[in-house]
Amino acid sequence: TTSVPTAMRLLPRPSTTSTLSCLAALLIDSSSAFWGVVVPSARSLSAVSFPSTISASRRSLSTSTTATTATAAHFAARVGSGSSTASSSRMDPTSVHSVTSQASRASALAGASSTILRSASSSAADGEATVDVAANLADVRSKIDAKVEDCNRPRGSVRLVAVSKTKPMELLVDAYNAGQRAFGENYAQELMTKAAELPADIAWHFIGPLQSNKAAPLVKKVGLPKLACVETVASKKLAIKLNNAVDSLEDYEGTEADKMLGIYLQVNTSGEESKSGLAPGTELVDLAKAIAADCPRLSIDGLMTIGAPGDLSCFDALVQCREEVAAALGVEVDSLDLSMGMSGDYEHAIERGATSVRVGSTIFGARDYSNLNKK
């Protein structure tokens, strides 16, 4: 007697997208070997990939659903008609009923997956459509200019880095068309992908934790001067990896003297264990001197901190750190940037001396991290 799993493997496999497969995983139990294919884990449906795949999913949805339904109907007909493939002489009534039930389940699954995908794609599209990136950018810039003026600082003395992590390419294009040129990304693979598809005059700031084994790919795939700054250097190991990657660049079009990567030293000004960065004082100063001495392809352009939410003393601490690093390196204090302040506190950071602020959700809208695969 032909078993159900064996019979199911004889069925033609419908063409489905990874998104549909992941959605289907929510509808069938984890023990099912449905269609003889292992359904990808729902974790593979990341917030990064979902917006970019939704259009493709829409295009293939009709074909996929039709194929799934047709396959189910075809197998049900073979089982129910008493054909030689599934005649009573080869399959007992229990097996026939079981296979028929699974075939019916396939048809229902296709319809449910269709409904879910259409709803999800519609929600994603509607959510993105409500974000007026140009207007949000104009509002943030206006607030920065006003705060700079209030502090009697030169106009244009504060850089706005638009933090676009997890956001679809379309929203970055909107920001670019509105004049934004400095973008920040937290994940190496996401930055490399976006940099390859967006205009070459964008200055990319890497602002997330960077593993040392990702340093060379990041530098080589993005290249200079597109990769303007790695803001999260907090170890000699990472600094050396970045330095060597820059030194080995073969397609750099500038002069050897200009073949340098800007970096910020990340400082843990709040002292929280959950935050990355160097401790203020000796640890910070010693690393700054070591990089200046041993990493000629790196330019220490400033300091960066995240700080504790609502604790403005973290900004004051970074100001003090800058003075100590400047003295240790023998450079002017104002030659070092202060990257501090995000969507909720960038105006306060400017009041305390920030020269670079990292603003994301205020420009691009809230992020959904529920299914994010961090790079």
Side-chain angles (χ1 to χ4, degrees):
T1 300
T2 304
S3 66
V4 171
T6 300
M8 295 302 286
R9 282 198 292 271
L10 298 175
L11 292 172
R13 296 179 183 178
S15 174
T16 60
T17 64
S18 60
T19 302
L20 187 57
S21 297
C22 292
L23 290 168
L26 301 177
L27 300 176
I28 58 179
D29 62 72
S30 59
S31 65
S32 294
F34 198 66
W35 305 104
V37 180
V38 177
V39 179
S41 167
R43 287 190 301 110
S44 65
L45 182 60
S46 71
V48 174
S49 63
F50 184 80
S52 62
T53 60
I54 206 70
S55 295
S57 298
R58 283 170 172 165
R59 289 193 298 271
S60 63
L61 179 60
S62 178
T63 301
S64 300
T65 305
T66 300
T68 306
T69 305
T71 301
H74 170 71
F75 189 67
R78 290 174 62 191
V79 173
S81 65
S83 66
S84 59
T85 303
S87 65
S88 59
S89 63
R90 298 187 64 183
M91 295 183 68
D92 59 61
T94 301
S95 296
V96 171
H97 180 269
S98 176
V99 176
T100 304
S101 296
Q102 292 217 30
S104 299
R105 193 179 184 186
S107 179
L109 175 61
S113 298
S114 170
T115 300
I116 291 175
L117 183 56
R118 290 186 190 280
S119 175
S121 63
S122 176
S123 297
D126 291 344
E128 292 167 12
T130 62
V131 179
D132 190 337
V133 172
N136 291 345
L137 266 174
D139 182 60
V140 171
R141 288 169 179 159
S142 176
K143 290 178 179 178
I144 290 175
D145 290 343
K147 188 58 63 176
V148 166
E149 184 177 355
D150 289 345
C151 297
N152 295 315
R153 295 173 57 182
R155 185 178 178 85
S157 59
V158 176
R159 176 194 303 109
L160 170 60
V161 176
V163 180
S164 48
K165 62 180 180 180
T166 79
K167 292 301 178 179
M169 211 73 72
E170 292 80 2
L171 295 187
L172 277 73
V173 171
D174 288 345
Y176 180 88
N177 289 338
Q180 184 64 27
R181 292 296 181 270
F183 289 83
E185 292 289 341
N186 285 57
Y187 310 118
Q189 185 58 53
E190 187 177 3
L191 194 159
M192 289 185 279
T193 299
K194 290 177 176 177
E197 298 185 27
L198 292 170
D201 62 336
I202 289 178
W204 295 97
H205 286 238
F206 187 81
I207 61 174
L210 182 62
Q211 297 176 350
S212 58
N213 63 349
K214 296 287 184 69
L218 179 65
V219 170
K220 293 178 180 179
K221 290 186 178 181
V222 179
L224 300 178
K226 289 198 296 182
L227 183 59
C229 186
V230 175
E231 297 199 11
T232 51
V233 176
S235 72
K236 180 74 174 292
K237 179 180 179 181
L238 177 58
I240 291 175
K241 292 285 188 178
L242 289 169
N243 181 81
N244 293 344
V246 174
D247 194 48
S248 64
L249 283 177
E250 297 179 352
D251 56 354
Y252 180 68
E253 297 179 355
T255 65
E256 281 295 310
D258 293 332
K259 190 178 179 181
M260 298 185 72
L261 171 64
I263 65 167
Y264 292 165
L265 300 179
Q266 182 174 0
V267 186
N268 184 354
T269 53
S270 66
E272 297 172 279
E273 292 184 2
S274 60
K275 299 287 174 61
S276 301
L278 299 155
T282 302
E283 185 179 31
L284 169 64
V285 171
D286 286 350
L287 181 60
K289 292 192 293 186
I291 292 174
D294 301 331
C295 300
R297 294 297 185 186
L298 301 184
S299 173
I300 301 177
D301 291 341
L303 307 180
M304 177 271 227
T305 194
I306 296 175
D311 186 357
L312 302 182
S313 68
C314 292
F315 299 150
D316 299 329
L318 196 68
V319 172
Q320 177 61 37
C321 288
R322 179 172 68 166
E323 294 180 0
E324 295 172 0
V325 171
L329 299 180
V331 300
E332 294 293 329
V333 172
D334 291 342
S335 69
L336 298 176
D337 283 332
L338 290 175
S339 176
M340 57 190 194
M342 298 182 287
S343 286
D345 56 11
Y346 67 91
E347 292 177 271
H348 293 303
I350 293 172
E351 290 175 344
R352 284 163 168 74
T355 62
S356 184
V357 294
R358 310 179 303 274
V359 181
S361 57
T362 301
I363 297 172
F364 297 108
R367 299 183 182 88
D368 178 10
Y369 292 95
S370 60
N371 289 309
L372 180 63
N373 284 330
K374 294 185 178 181
K375 299 294 190 282

